[in-house]
Amino acid sequence: MTERLATGPGAIYWHVPNKGALLDAATASVVATAMAVEVTGSPQREIRAIALGLFEAIERHPWLSPQLALRLSRSPWSSVTPRIFESIGQRVSALGVPESTWFTATSALVHYIFGAAGQNAANSQVLGLGVDRAEFLRATANAWEELDPGEFPFLRSIADEARDHDDREQFLTGIDLILTGITGAEPGGSTRP
Amino acid sequence: MTERLATGPGAIYWHVPNKGALLDAATASVVATAMAVEVTGSPQREIRAIALGLFEAIERHPWLSPQLALRLSRSPWSSVTPRIFESIGQRVSALGVPESTWFTATSALVHYIFGAAGQNAANSQVLGLGVDRAEFLRATANAWEELDPGEFPFLRSIADEARDHDDREQFLTGIDLILTGITGAEPGGSTRP
DNA sequence: ACCTGAACACCGTTCAAGT
DNA sequence: ACCTGAACACCGTTCAAGT
């Protein structure tokens, strides 16, 4: 086990059956506090707030990313992921769209959150100690601009944009995109919460 | 190493420096063939086809899921993920939306694909040998219907829908949702490719 | 009731020795 | 040039023995 805080290696096995169960407990705890933020406003704003809370929790605890996927598939009735689904789904149902679209719309939001947050967490881990974020973005953008114009016209065209984008902001704009798709119209309210 | 096909354990290290490099090579190969499918039609239809190709590749090779996230963050200029970005991005730019939205729109699509496909891969792995899919869905839906009505009204309301949904179909509807959000209108064409 | 610590299984990696 | 196989490091887990 990675953490042996002033105990023998076998000590934890008195309290917990195995590493998976320990991660489950940690996951439940982290996600619970991440979703405990009181949110009020339009459904859209509330969804953005919940999404951002999860995004940041996963950024702080990168091991959450595979963990959430596993828990969702292994026991979709156990506490953690159902709460996420429920929390977002309640706001989706408050958007005033037909009930037949709720399940798919909520799934899309949750999958997007997990995907984007997982990617962000991987980025943060790679950066973490050593590389600077701005430096990294600059290097990436430069590399994209050097690519073959015939094969990679798109990457070249967005290199400038990538150079100084903000991950949180881009994440939330992605949420807005999906919300627009769900309601089939403008998500309403300002662009930023 | 997991696969010791009729060789000594140290044999691979002559050809490849470590396990990561081996996975990188496998990733490149799998993704290349997954995206080699010739697609023609509206940008929307092409995006759906590419997305589904990746979805199915990740379903067949669940180890791709963490692998793609890592590769994207560790070396965003190396071959695999840039190709995915480029391929989808070209179609996004063909949608006729302002260039300033391309980067975020493409990121949203890619993150959604990775998130949904990763979840699906985890599901498939858990099922794989043993549990039947229909049986699993039924059990999940039943469990959701048993939940406390005060705390989980949403999960109870979608339990029926969840019981007999198709993962591929739901995935593609999610793509359509994002495409609608990107164009700010109907994605056009039929619902299914 | 809870912790210790030696021991085991498993797996990624190294490397001197073989062909 | 390429493979073998003993050896090592690392980590999750077990368990008899301690307090």
Side-chain angles (χ1 to χ4, degrees):
Chain A
M1 208 143 298
T2 323
E3 39 166 10
R4 31 190 79 168
L5 333 123
T7 48
I12 328 98
Y13 289 89
W14 175 261
H15 306 276
V16 101
N18 53 41
K19 194 194 181 187
L22 194 151
L23 281 175
D24 285 355
T27 302
S29 158
V30 170
V31 171
T33 60
M35 308 227 314
V37 285
E38 263 320 302
V39 284
T40 40
S42 68
Q44 282 92 340
R45 290 179 80 88
E46 295 185 5
I47 288 172
R48 281 192 213 107
I50 297 165
L52 189 59
L54 288 170
F55 184 85
E56 291 176 337
I58 293 174
E59 186 176 45
R60 276 192 300 273
H61 310 285
W63 48 267
L64 271 177
S65 189
Q67 185 64 18
L68 286 172
L70 271 189
R71 278 235 73 54
L72 178 50
S73 63
R74 264 201 315 232
S75 51
W77 43 80
S78 97
S79 49
V80 190
T81 358
R83 269 179 219 287
I84 298 176
F85 240 80
E86 178 70 32
S87 181
I88 294 184
Q90 283 180 13
R91 274 80 181 189
V92 167
S93 65
L95 287 173
V97 293
E99 180 162 355
S100 62
T101 68
W102 291 357
F103 181 40
T104 298
T106 304
S107 293
L109 282 166
V110 171
H111 288 150
Y112 169 72
I113 293 170
F114 285 7
Q119 183 57 58
N120 180 252
N123 290 346
S124 303
Q125 251 180 329
V126 168
L127 297 179
L129 278 92
V131 202
D132 174 38
R133 196 197 112 95
E135 172 60 36
F136 179 74
L137 277 182
R138 201 145 13 91
T140 302
N142 291 344
W144 284 358
E145 274 170 345
E146 302 296 325
L147 290 169
D148 178 55
E151 209 177 354
F152 293 99
F154 177 75
L155 284 183
R156 286 173 58 94
S157 75
I158 62 164
D160 260 340
E161 215 126 351
R163 206 186 307 273
D164 43 32
H165 81 284
D166 179 71
D167 284 325
R168 254 171 207 65
E169 197 178 340
Q170 182 170 261
F171 170 70
L172 288 171
T173 311
I175 293 282
D176 288 344
L177 228 49
I178 301 179
L179 288 173
T180 306
I182 292 173
T183 56
E186 258 60 55
S190 66
T191 342
R192 193 72 34 246
Chain B
M1 207 143 298
T2 324
E3 40 166 8
R4 30 189 82 167
L5 333 124
T7 50
I12 328 97
Y13 289 89
W14 177 260
H15 306 276
V16 103
N18 53 41
K19 194 194 181 187
L22 195 151
L23 281 176
D24 285 355
T27 302
S29 158
V30 170
V31 170
T33 60
M35 308 228 313
V37 284
E38 263 320 302
V39 283
T40 40
S42 67
Q44 281 92 342
R45 290 179 80 89
E46 295 184 3
I47 288 172
R48 280 191 214 107
I50 297 164
L52 189 59
L54 288 169
F55 184 86
E56 291 175 339
I58 293 174
E59 185 176 45
R60 275 192 301 273
H61 310 285
W63 47 268
L64 270 178
S65 190
Q67 185 65 16
L68 286 172
L70 270 188
R71 277 232 76 52
L72 179 49
S73 63
R74 264 199 315 230
S75 51
W77 42 79
S78 98
S79 52
V80 189
T81 358
R83 269 178 218 291
I84 297 175
F85 240 80
E86 178 70 33
S87 181
I88 294 184
Q90 282 181 12
R91 275 78 181 191
V92 166
S93 65
L95 287 173
V97 294
E99 181 164 353
S100 62
T101 67
W102 291 358
F103 181 40
T104 297
T106 304
S107 294
L109 282 167
V110 171
H111 288 149
Y112 169 73
I113 293 170
F114 285 7
Q119 183 57 57
N120 181 254
N123 289 346
S124 303
Q125 251 180 330
V126 168
L127 297 179
L129 279 92
V131 201
D132 174 38
R133 197 197 110 95
E135 173 58 37
F136 178 75
L137 278 182
R138 202 147 12 92
T140 302
N142 290 345
W144 285 358
E145 274 170 345
E146 302 297 325
L147 289 169
D148 178 54
E151 209 177 354
F152 294 97
F154 177 75
L155 283 183
R156 285 172 59 94
S157 73
I158 62 165
D160 260 341
E161 214 126 350
R163 206 187 306 271
D164 43 33
H165 81 283
D166 179 70
D167 284 324
R168 255 171 206 65
E169 197 176 341
Q170 183 170 260
F171 170 70
L172 288 171
T173 310
I175 293 283
D176 288 345
L177 228 50
I178 301 179
L179 288 173
T180 306
I182 292 172
T183 56
E186 258 60 56
S190 66
T191 341
R192 195 70 34 244

